[in-house]
Amino acid sequence: MRNIADTIARMARAGAPIPRDTAPTRLTPLIEFGTNPGALLGYSYAPPGLRAGAPLVVVLHGCTQTAAGYDHGSGWSQLADRAGFALLFPEQTRANNPNLCFNWFASEDTAQAGGEAESIAQMTETMIARHALDRSRVYVTGLSAGGAMTVAMLATRPDLFAGGAAIGGLAYGTATGVSQALDRMRGHGDTSDTALVELVRSGARGHDGRWPTLAIWHGGADATVSVANADTIARQWRGIHGVDAKTVREDRKGNAVHRTWSDAQGRAVVEDWTVPGMGHGTPIDPSRGERLGAVGPYMLDVGISSTAVIASSWGLIDTAAAPKPAAGDRVAKIAIPVTPKPAAKPRAAAPAGVQATIEHALRAAGLMR
């Protein structure tokens, strides 16, 4: 059987059309943000009247999604309007990945320099400078491949991000190539605590400052990225922060089980949110509670808004007192702005003829349509 990556390369050569995104959008194309070695697109949102010194949240979509689609489903720009923070939405291109996944399993894209992680960092620096944002309050979150890339951004740029939240994601540096990525997604191939920590330290290139906090969100019934990955991420980041696994506090919010580990100063540095019975996707609460987002593929109404809870944990809002949207708070449906497509990174060609069983595995894993 040929390497699984052959299938992805063959799909790229086939040039399947990108489905038209009909989700409403208020995002603006981000242009001239650096050398863009990862050949990504970028979109931003700055609420009217955004003040200097506001926080910034970087949001990374999952496979098969777009920036506008993920914003519409998760409700991040709705919350930004209410709370007054800026948003950055990096977007993958089909030239880089045929299924629009951020390449969290490619070492060249998850290092400090030379790939997608550097492009995201360049976009982040550009947003800080253009909007005079608070450099000490920059955060990153994402779903699935975006969740794994979230962890990669915290590992490679701990100087840039104060905290992150990975939804249905994976630990940093544990996969090199698509075949290993599939194993890790299934929860196979354990890595020692020491090795997990060393992977992050290696990615951070001698960082000796404060490490970002990390919140981990996962569905207890996730059949795409096994919930075992949540534990692996927690082990990796508990080790980075030097906190004992036994010093855990547990509580519940609705159906979600919430575990917290704090450092010696009492700062919550690692959180784990598990939603029993939930599959692969972002937890939302569009019709109750915070009334954020919209149900759709990988946007799961489970009665808790991860967007609101994550923002609250970063001090961006107070969920107990967060205002509900006004009667006229609606998103206009307009055409998605078109940004000139960056030059694609060279990808190796691959022979055709990969067996159907491999293609089936890729579809089940969310790496292929």
Side-chain angles (χ1 to χ4, degrees):
M1 296 174 71
R2 299 177 189 269
N3 188 284
I4 297 175
D6 293 349
T7 302
I8 289 183
R10 184 161 60 85
M11 289 293 292
R13 291 201 312 277
I18 300 174
R20 183 178 180 84
D21 193 335
T22 58
T25 183
R26 293 184 293 175
L27 309 186
T28 300
L30 183 70
I31 58 175
E32 297 181 355
F33 55 80
T35 59
N36 192 16
L40 299 177
L41 301 176
Y43 295 86
S44 66
Y45 183 75
L50 181 71
R51 297 180 179 181
L56 171 66
V57 178
V58 180
V59 184
L60 303 172
H61 63 78
C63 296
T64 75
Q65 296 177 321
T66 64
Y70 193 78
D71 177 49
H72 176 65
S74 62
W76 272 107
S77 66
Q78 290 176 275
L79 193 58
D81 277 340
R82 304 178 206 173
F85 56 84
L87 291 164
L88 166 64
F89 291 84
E91 185 176 275
Q92 184 58 284
T93 68
R94 192 170 289 269
N96 287 344
N97 186 293
N99 212 34
L100 302 180
C101 308
F102 289 104
N103 289 305
W104 63 272
F105 47 83
S107 57
E108 66 269 23
D109 282 313
T110 56
Q112 278 190 356
E116 292 175 8
E118 185 181 2
S119 288
I120 295 168
Q122 289 178 352
M123 293 183 204
T124 304
E125 293 283 4
T126 298
M127 285 291 294
I128 294 170
R130 287 184 184 172
H131 297 280
L133 303 175
D134 186 346
R135 178 173 290 277
S136 69
R137 292 194 294 167
V138 179
Y139 306 92
V140 59
T141 183
L143 166 67
S144 193
M149 189 60 83
T150 290
V151 182
M153 296 310 301
L154 299 179
T156 58
R157 292 303 306 269
D159 58 321
L160 185 57
F161 296 100
I167 306 172
L170 300 99
Y172 176 69
T174 55
T176 303
V178 178
S179 180
Q180 258 190 357
L182 284 168
D183 277 344
R184 301 299 176 265
M185 290 166 68
R186 296 187 186 106
H188 301 163
D190 195 19
T191 305
S192 72
D193 291 3
T194 300
L196 286 169
V197 171
E198 182 53 36
L199 286 167
V200 174
R201 294 195 183 282
S202 176
R205 292 188 178 180
H207 173 72
D208 60 0
R210 199 181 212 192
W211 289 94
T213 62
L214 177 60
I216 305 153
W217 287 74
H218 224 103
D222 192 331
T224 300
V225 179
S226 168
V227 71
N229 286 284
D231 181 64
T232 303
I233 302 172
R235 287 164 49 213
Q236 186 173 59
W237 287 82
R238 285 198 305 262
I240 280 293
H241 285 284
V243 296
D244 190 334
K246 297 178 182 177
T247 61
V248 61
R249 300 193 313 272
E250 183 173 314
D251 60 279
R252 289 178 178 268
K253 181 178 177 64
N255 191 38
V257 179
H258 176 218
R259 298 186 298 164
T260 306
W261 293 268
S262 299
D263 62 15
Q265 290 71 46
R267 183 176 69 130
V269 292
V270 180
E271 296 181 72
D272 176 78
W273 291 84
T274 302
V275 183
M278 189 182 82
H280 189 62
T282 295
I284 62 171
D285 183 16
S287 58
R288 303 176 301 279
E290 299 303 326
R291 295 170 62 187
L292 292 172
V295 174
Y298 308 113
M299 295 293 169
L300 310 179
D301 183 359
V302 292
I304 181 172
S305 169
S306 56
T307 300
V309 175
I310 289 165
S312 178
S313 73
W314 293 335
L316 305 183
I317 62 169
D318 177 359
T319 52
K324 300 299 183 284
D329 183 10
R330 296 290 184 269
V331 182
K333 190 169 184 178
I334 60 176
I336 297 176
V338 177
T339 303
K341 190 172 183 178
K345 293 179 290 186
R347 303 287 174 179
V354 181
Q355 295 188 19
T357 53
I358 296 179
E359 293 190 0
H360 176 74
L362 279 167
R363 290 190 184 96
L367 293 176
M368 175 177 165
R369 294 184 73 82

